[in-house]
Amino acid sequence: MPHQSDLDVDAQLAAAMAAESPLPPTPLGRNPLKRPRTNDDDDSQNEDDDGDLLTSIAPSRPSGDATANANRNVLVFAKQFATHKRLRPTQISEVETFAADPIATRQIKMYTVMLAIEGRLEAMRTATADFKVSASLNKNLQRLALGILVSPQLAAYKGSIPTKILMDILKKRRFDLPVGIEFIASDWATVKSRAEYQLTQLVASIKDADPKKHKNIFALGQRFVRDTDTTLTTPLCARIALMRKYYTLYPGDIFWDKLDIRLAWMRENSKGDAAKQTKMFKVILNDDRDAHGIRADYTMPDDAVVDEWQAEVDTVVDHDNTALA
């Protein structure tokens, strides 16, 4: 016998692995992929097993009675299948009648039934009571609105950005929202309207809090996070310092517009570089600390870390900012 090298063995084994294994011989007429039935099989587990039923209309032998045989096969199959699916006797009769109908008649019947079902579904939707925002959902919307407005990642305070962020989080968190409500335009509009209301109310309350009454940025920051789940951090203090600066410059209705313009300018000029934006906010924070209060009276929360909930809000805010960039 010729000597085999390692390469020959490799090739031999590779060929063996690649070869298809033939199926073992099976008794005539039995499906080789189907397990043989045993006495332990439970008939109740095979209610929908159509293996013993006619799975198709058997073709008739070519003869003068071909049409009659075909029609008879259709009726036999229709009754057998309807019985197997445990339809009521009246329903079985309807199936037999349907099977015997001409094709055009069957198409008309199917279309008519579809319209009837559509009408019933529409009646059910009409009968359903109008959706109302629950007290629990309203509380969660307020909580989300607060978390978004105090997020140091927020790109703009006015316009659609805060609302979009809130609705994105709401779709993920759900709370007690009914399943599929976002696909019902009128109900989803109700939820969105309440979300916008909460944001508007909070924006107004933040603006009405006169920052001149606070001696330092730390005290002002505590005022901002007092009713939220947010931890006061140095980046948030820097954002609040920017608010104070622009509220002092533009105390009227254009305050939020001017603030958003400044934020957009900072993003544009930093070209989205987080390090450059941090440097700009650091300058603003230092100016605020020099102008308000005594530095020795407080310590900046440099080591503070936001909790898991606010971190999730900040992540969504940052993601939406990136999508808008």
Side-chain angles (χ1 to χ4, degrees), residues 266-281 325:
M266 293 171 71
R267 289 195 308 275
E268 181 179 352
N269 283 270
S270 66
K271 300 187 184 301
D273 189 323
K276 292 181 179 179
Q277 292 185 35
T278 298
K279 290 179 180 179
M280 286 189 279
F281 273 112

Side-chain angles (χ1 to χ4, degrees), residues 142-150 202 206 221-232 236 307 309-310:
Q142 185 181 43
R143 182 171 174 241
L144 282 175
L146 281 166
I148 292 168
L149 292 180
V150 300
L202 289 171
I206 290 175
Q222 288 180 318
R223 156 68 179 83
F224 268 69
V225 301
R226 183 177 59 199
D227 298 321
T228 74
D229 298 318
T230 301
T231 302
L232 183 62
L236 179 54
D307 60 20
W309 183 86
Q310 185 63 42

Side-chain angles (χ1 to χ4, degrees), residues 50 106 149 160 173 177 220 224 245 277 281:
D50 299 331
R106 278 181 274 174
L149 292 180
S160 61
R173 282 300 191 100
L177 283 176
L220 181 58
F224 268 69
K245 184 179 186 66
Q277 292 185 35
F281 273 112

Side-chain angles (χ1 to χ4, degrees), residues 120-156:
R120 291 182 182 179
L121 290 175
E122 184 62 32
M124 291 172 60
R125 284 194 292 266
T126 303
T128 303
D130 292 338
F131 173 78
K132 293 183 179 180
V133 176
S134 67
S136 174
L137 178 59
N138 188 61
K139 183 68 176 178
N140 282 312
L141 288 174
Q142 185 181 43
R143 182 171 174 241
L144 282 175
L146 281 166
I148 292 168
L149 292 180
V150 300
S151 173
Q153 309 296 332
L154 188 61

Side-chain angles (χ1 to χ4, degrees), residues 131 133 137 141 160 163-164 166-167 170 177 181 185-200:
F131 173 78
V133 176
L137 178 59
L141 288 174
S160 61
T163 302
K164 181 183 183 305
L166 195 155
M167 300 306 286
L170 186 59
L177 283 176
I181 187 175
S186 59
D187 292 349
W188 191 240
T190 299
V191 177
K192 184 177 180 181
S193 176
R194 182 58 61 90
E196 291 173 338
Y197 170 79
Q198 292 293 358
L199 285 166
T200 301

